[in-house]
Amino acid sequence: MTSLFDECTAVRPGAADGTFATELRDEFTIVNGHPNGGYLLAVMGRAAVAALGEEDRHVVGSTTSYIAPPSTGPATVVTEVRRRGRTASQLHVVLVQDDEPKVEGLMTLAALDDGPPAWGHVAPPEMPDEETCRAATRSHRSPITGGEPPMARVVAQAFDPATLGWASGAPGGGGEMRAWLRMADDRPFDPLGLLFAVDALPPATFEVAMTGWVPTLSLTAYIRARPAPGPLRVRFRVGTIATGRADETCEVWDGADRLVAQSTQLAALRMPPAP
Amino acid sequence: MTSLFDECTAVRPGAADGTFATELRDEFTIVNGHPNGGYLLAVMGRAAVAALGEEDRHVVGSTTSYIAPPSTGPATVVTEVRRRGRTASQLHVVLVQDDEPKVEGLMTLAALDDGPPAWGHVAPPEMPDEETCRAATRSHRSPITGGEPPMARVVAQAFDPATLGWASGAPGGGGEMRAWLRMADDRPFDPLGLLFAVDALPPATFEVAMTGWVPTLSLTAYIRARPAPGPLRVRFRVGTIATGRADETCEVWDGADRLVAQSTQLAALRMPPAP
């Protein structure tokens, strides 16, 4: 049985060489019917892997520039291999809709181990168990979305109650969210699933201040290892907010406590005037 | 008088619309005669600013994918404006040499304040004063380069002696370098100078293990504010080394203790076998 995640991120060869047709799905929309950024990353990553066509090459590095928000419905992914290397290959990948580039990306594809890091183990954050987090999350309704976004049907997010202030309209002020993440149909996460995971949470800036939507300008993700089974733990935090922009860093640990993915993004936001 | 940095990063309009001609200079080479990565970023950033042609728009976000190492000599920067926005514009920028793409980038251009951050002040690291660091740095000769690289004639790097083990072939093991940075001709750093600064130091992995060169696969830089005068402080550290790749994070503070630039990169390296 195909999982809903695989179904929603499917691509098929398009009319021209290196192009892929896809259908952006309602299941991965958040506010205003726009698809989630991490979901778009997974779709583009799947096209990049198919375009390279080399066994056991995964997206290990990806940067995407968000030019305009795509809508649900048909879209095309246009790929071009810039370098085919012995240990790493690089591609240019663009998500096109209505003949306009919507998301443009540079991706690096390479092999991925599933062993421990050679240096620099980063421990996962302390947080309550998944069940406790799930119960706390259920008891909140987001003032942003007026409830659970459609995406919740595909991916279950269970937030650490200590970082849930935003969901009641009272940001905790720490600029950090922590959550357990699992597919609703219990499909295990793979490297493409991690590409989704690094931008799956609401803006971490919501734990600083309730603002309107916080559009990502640029998102960079690194996938560091093939994940072990089990739910992911995700820590998403704000660095600095300056000149109307925030940097936000995401770290993802697998079921074996290994840091398997990281991302950093620059997002535009206007802080509300101080009261 | 034009500073050497401005002279070395100069671009002039090229034959076609949106293209710029430049000359990659010996002064910014490191090992093997290849130009420094941060220097290439500054050259490409200067072309992007010229291509957009809007006053007070700086490169605030940049990701570059290193496809092949360029050489010194003539090169072309090909730019294309993807989105011209009210608060942010996005460009695709490629450094071409011998008709081949060498470095491909996605850049975001916007205004930059010079005030304090709205949220999230990050304090600069504690380190000895610049003169102490300069003296310690002079007393080391790098086994990698057999002395000072040509770049030292343009930019003076004064390392915290606590992070100089690598320069005597004895990595300290902390995976971190700290340094003062100033232009040799005392030109103040501006936003383009910061683009250079975020990738000006030797690989931070040298403080983990002495290896061969550590080629950058992808580098992402954010410029957060216009820098105040004075030398910069730079902290460059390794996150995790896994599957033959390291992530390295750089932070840059200005003369007024403000975090003005950040970068993260994914680089390829092979760890030596454990002894």
Side-chain angles (χ1 to χ4, degrees):
Chain A
M1 200 191 80
T2 307
S3 87
L4 194 51
F5 177 79
D6 291 318
E7 194 184 305
C8 292
T9 57
V11 299
R12 53 185 195 283
D17 217 37
T19 70
F20 296 85
T22 190
E23 182 85 20
L24 300 179
R25 299 269 297 249
D26 289 332
E27 286 90 338
F28 278 92
T29 54
I30 29 172
V31 285
N32 306 328
H34 290 305
N36 165 270
Y39 165 59
L40 298 173
L41 215 51
V43 171
M44 293 168 72
R46 195 182 285 282
V49 168
L52 191 69
E54 290 178 15
E55 222 180 323
D56 286 332
R57 287 288 169 118
H58 306 278
V59 177
V60 300
S62 159
T63 287
T64 37
S65 190
Y66 295 83
I67 300 167
S71 314
T72 54
T76 305
V77 184
V78 181
T79 68
E80 198 170 315
V81 178
R82 297 290 201 232
R83 181 170 74 100
R84 202 177 272 273
R86 198 172 49 82
T87 57
S89 296
Q90 289 169 312
L91 288 89
H92 180 248
V93 185
V94 187
L95 180 84
V96 176
Q97 216 173 32
D98 306 323
D99 293 326
E100 297 286 340
K102 301 290 185 180
V103 186
E104 179 167 21
L106 302 172
M107 296 191 168
T108 301
L109 275 66
L112 272 182
D113 287 347
D114 54 9
W119 188 89
H121 173 69
V122 181
E126 295 284 338
M127 52 193 281
D129 65 41
E130 195 183 0
E131 199 41 64
T132 305
C133 293
R134 183 176 302 134
T137 304
R138 278 206 188 111
S139 71
H140 284 79
R141 281 177 66 89
S142 163
I144 304 298
T145 59
E148 288 206 311
M151 211 173 78
R153 296 200 304 268
V154 195
V155 184
Q157 298 183 345
F159 289 90
D160 183 335
T163 69
L164 256 173
W166 61 277
S168 321
E176 177 169 330
M177 291 181 187
R178 295 182 293 272
W180 295 91
L181 214 67
R182 73 162 69 225
M183 299 285 186
D185 58 10
D186 266 329
R187 170 199 189 278
F189 282 90
D190 61 8
L192 277 182
L194 294 179
L195 270 185
F196 161 69
V198 295
D199 193 30
L201 301 197
T205 56
F206 283 2
E207 267 297 90
V208 174
M210 300 312 292
T211 62
W213 198 244
V214 183
T216 301
L217 295 166
S218 175
L219 171 75
T220 295
Y222 302 149
I223 307 301
R224 308 307 305 275
R226 273 184 287 142
L232 302 176
R233 265 160 303 174
V234 181
R235 178 168 62 193
F236 193 30
R237 11 181 203 191
V238 183
T240 292
I241 303 176
T243 318
R245 287 178 293 276
D247 68 295
E248 295 166 298
T249 304
C250 184
E251 297 160 292
V252 180
W253 289 265
D254 69 4
D257 287 359
R258 270 178 324 164
L259 181 70
V260 288
Q262 303 154 286
S263 78
T264 180
Q265 61 180 282
L266 190 67
L269 92 166
R270 290 286 156 204
M271 289 289 280
Chain B
M1 201 191 79
T2 307
S3 87
L4 194 51
F5 177 79
D6 292 317
E7 193 184 306
C8 292
T9 56
V11 299
R12 53 184 193 283
D17 217 36
T19 70
F20 296 85
T22 189
E23 181 85 20
L24 300 179
R25 300 268 298 247
D26 290 331
E27 286 90 337
F28 277 92
T29 54
I30 30 172
V31 286
N32 306 327
H34 290 307
N36 165 270
Y39 165 59
L40 299 173
L41 215 51
V43 171
M44 292 168 73
R46 195 181 285 281
V49 168
L52 190 68
E54 290 177 16
E55 221 178 324
D56 285 332
R57 288 286 170 118
H58 306 279
V59 177
V60 301
S62 160
T63 287
T64 35
S65 190
Y66 294 83
I67 300 167
S71 314
T72 54
T76 304
V77 184
V78 181
T79 69
E80 199 169 317
V81 178
R82 297 291 202 230
R83 180 170 75 100
R84 202 177 274 273
R86 198 173 50 82
T87 59
S89 296
Q90 290 170 310
L91 289 90
H92 180 247
V93 185
V94 187
L95 181 84
V96 176
Q97 216 173 32
D98 306 324
D99 292 326
E100 297 285 342
K102 302 289 184 179
V103 185
E104 180 167 19
L106 302 173
M107 295 189 170
T108 302
L109 274 64
L112 272 182
D113 287 346
D114 53 8
W119 188 89
H121 173 70
V122 182
E126 295 283 338
M127 52 193 281
D129 65 41
E130 194 183 2
E131 200 39 65
T132 305
C133 292
R134 184 176 301 134
T137 304
R138 279 206 187 109
S139 72
H140 284 79
R141 281 178 67 87
S142 162
I144 304 297
T145 60
E148 289 205 309
M151 211 172 79
R153 296 199 303 267
V154 196
V155 184
Q157 298 182 345
F159 289 90
D160 183 337
T163 68
L164 256 173
W166 62 277
S168 320
E176 177 168 330
M177 291 182 187
R178 295 182 293 272
W180 295 92
L181 214 68
R182 73 162 69 226
M183 300 283 186
D185 58 9
D186 266 328
R187 170 199 189 279
F189 281 90
D190 61 8
L192 277 182
L194 294 179
L195 270 186
F196 162 70
V198 295
D199 193 30
L201 302 196
T205 55
F206 284 2
E207 268 295 271
V208 173
M210 300 311 292
T211 62
W213 199 244
V214 182
T216 302
L217 295 166
S218 175
L219 172 74
T220 295
Y222 302 149
I223 307 301
R224 308 308 303 277
R226 272 184 287 142
L232 302 175
R233 266 160 302 174
V234 181
R235 178 168 63 193
F236 193 30
R237 14 181 202 190
V238 183
T240 292
I241 303 176
T243 318
R245 287 177 294 276
D247 67 297
E248 295 165 298
T249 303
C250 185
E251 295 159 293
V252 180
W253 289 265
D254 69 4
D257 288 359
R258 271 179 323 164
L259 181 69
V260 288
Q262 303 155 287
S263 78
T264 180
Q265 61 181 285
L266 189 68
L269 92 166
R270 289 287 156 204
M271 290 288 281

